[in-house]
Amino acid sequence: MSTSSSAHGALGWKSSSLFVQSGLNCSGFNVVSVPFKPKSPIRRFSAACSTSSSSSDPLLVKAARGDPVSRPPAWMMRQAGRYMAVYRKLAEKYPSFRERSETTDLIVEISLQPWKAFRPDGVIIFSDILTPLPAFGIPFDIEEVRGPVISSPIRSEEGLKSLHPIDLEKLNFVGESLKILRREVGNHAAVLGFVGAPWTIATYIVEGGTTRTYTTIKSMCHTAPNVLRTLLTHLTQAITDYIVFQVQSGAHCIQIFDSWGGQLPPNMWERWSKPYIEEIVNSVRVKCPETPLVLYINGNGGLLERMKETGVDVIGLDWTVDMADGRKRLGSKIGVQGNVDPAYLFSPLDALTEEIQRVVRGAGPRRHILNLGHGVLVGTPEEAVAHFFEVARSLDFETLFQDKVVGEPNLVV
């Protein structure tokens, strides 16, 4: 998910894959890739935006759409990454984050590592929210200490001249990776793509990298609003095209990370982030009406109702929001995702089991995707991750909600 520390909390850029997984390396590397060799025969796959649902859809897609399911599907943000020994070993051989996240064979291998180990219900592509930037005119590097660096931040009309429509051919490694992942997992799991929301991407472009204060971009809301609006509008179109490209390449579902939207006061988020996310959702709906869209914001407790108004199918809750309260606030006609505290994976397994069950009861028997409330932390025991998915597979809504009416997820045991 993201290479930026800002995009994923205070863990440092190396550990943040925008809750997804990713990495970016300094520019100028030459990649010699070894052909990816799947264990099973490759099946032909022709991708296109689906216009109808199917009974063969993966469990996660069904849950996101609100179809009846027997248990909550489960995956984890930052599912592939440094907590896995197999990933660390591969990273020693390929030390460049950017090489790992921009080389098809490596993307596929890393994305499938947690699938092979834990069999989650969602397999998210190993990538980064900043990956598409060069494709529409914004080069960047990754520095060891500073993380992502944009040497020519855009803060004026002159800076806007560097922008151009997104060139999806420059992102062919993303499309090819998604096609292979779709063939590899079939309908046994959902293949997940992701993007950064316009505001979050703009924070990097304006600030020139990661920041703790966001003072430059926040001041632009008042000192150069037209420049900021033009930038956000350009990003909205580029991100929309990138989402459709990912779906047409094989992604079942797309998660939108407005990681730094939570740094805005609610009224400012309403003005500077929400309209652009709404536009993305509306545009994607035209071309890919059956593709579930998930929206996650770090620190979203004050934004839940506003997030719902964007029109997405699922709202991701971080762990600071009580799941039962979140469900009551959002209602039963929209999906929720989350929201086990990642620190529970360091607790005794019995405590982790109890917390998973509490979260699932709070979410109700419909429209829930079990996840963490943030990305997997570096140092997380792999056995705890395995236990998380084992518990998820053992859950049964009929048992958990035997005294409740299925279809009323706002009722809590």
Side-chain angles (χ1 to χ4, degrees), residues 160-189:
L160 293 171
K161 294 179 181 179
S162 65
L163 299 174
H164 58 72
I166 190 167
D167 182 356
L168 294 171
E169 289 188 4
K170 293 183 177 179
L171 297 167
N172 186 56
F173 54 87
V174 173
E176 289 303 310
S177 297
L178 287 167
K179 290 175 184 176
I180 296 171
L181 290 174
R182 183 72 177 262
R183 289 196 297 258
E184 282 298 295
V185 304
N187 284 330
H188 298 292

Side-chain angles (χ1 to χ4, degrees), residues 1-9 12-26 78 80 87 96-103 107 110-111 124-136 138 140-143 147-150 166 170-171 173-175 177-178 192-197 200-201 203-205 209-210 239 242-243 245-246 254-257 259-260:
M1 280 174 326
S2 148
T3 51
S4 56
S5 66
S6 53
H8 312 116
W13 66 273
K14 287 185 177 179
S15 63
S16 59
S17 86
L18 199 85
F19 321 124
V20 186
Q21 301 110 9
S22 94
L24 307 162
N25 159 48
C26 297
R78 207 184 291 146
Y87 176 88
S96 160
F97 263 35
R98 194 158 181 178
E99 180 179 1
R100 294 198 297 273
S101 65
E102 296 186 15
T103 307
I107 293 170
I110 295 169
S111 300
I124 191 162
I125 184 172
F126 182 85
S127 187
D128 193 279
I129 59 168
L130 301 185
T131 294
L133 267 60
F136 52 82
I138 303 176
F140 69 95
D141 292 324
I142 294 292
E143 295 184 2
V149 175
I150 295 173
I166 190 167
K170 293 183 177 179
L171 297 167
F173 54 87
V174 173
S177 297
L178 287 167
L192 309 175
F194 70 93
V195 297
T200 288
I201 298 298
T203 64
Y204 293 97
I205 296 172
T210 59
I239 292 165
Y242 189 37
I243 289 176
F245 170 73
Q246 290 186 53
I254 299 290
Q255 180 147 319
I256 301 170
F257 287 94
S259 306
W260 308 128

Side-chain angles (χ1 to χ4, degrees), residues 32-108:
V32 179
S33 58
V34 179
F36 172 72
K37 297 179 180 180
K39 291 185 178 180
S40 57
I42 287 186
R43 298 174 293 280
R44 293 196 173 190
F45 172 72
S46 177
C49 287
S50 175
T51 57
S52 62
S53 58
S54 169
S55 59
S56 64
D57 287 332
L59 182 68
L60 189 150
V61 174
K62 291 180 180 178
R65 289 175 178 160
D67 297 339
V69 292
S70 61
R71 66 170 178 85
W75 71 283
M76 290 182 178
M77 293 184 283
R78 207 184 291 146
Q79 192 164 263
R82 290 198 297 158
Y83 77 97
M84 295 189 71
V86 65
Y87 176 88
R88 295 194 298 272
K89 183 176 180 180
L90 184 144
E92 290 178 0
K93 185 176 181 181
Y94 303 97
S96 160
F97 263 35
R98 194 158 181 178
E99 180 179 1
R100 294 198 297 273
S101 65
E102 296 186 15
T103 307
T104 299
D105 304 329
L106 298 180
I107 293 170
V108 172

Side-chain angles (χ1 to χ4, degrees), residues 257-299:
F257 287 94
D258 195 8
S259 306
W260 308 128
Q263 297 294 322
L264 286 169
N267 67 308
M268 292 291 282
W269 185 83
E270 186 102 26
R271 181 176 180 182
W272 292 101
S273 185
K274 178 185 170 185
Y276 303 97
I277 296 174
E278 281 184 296
E279 186 173 342
I280 290 172
V281 172
N282 292 335
S283 297
V284 172
R285 287 274 185 259
V286 173
K287 295 185 177 180
C288 308
E290 292 299 321
T291 300
L293 300 175
V294 183
L295 176 59
Y296 176 88
I297 298 177
N298 191 31

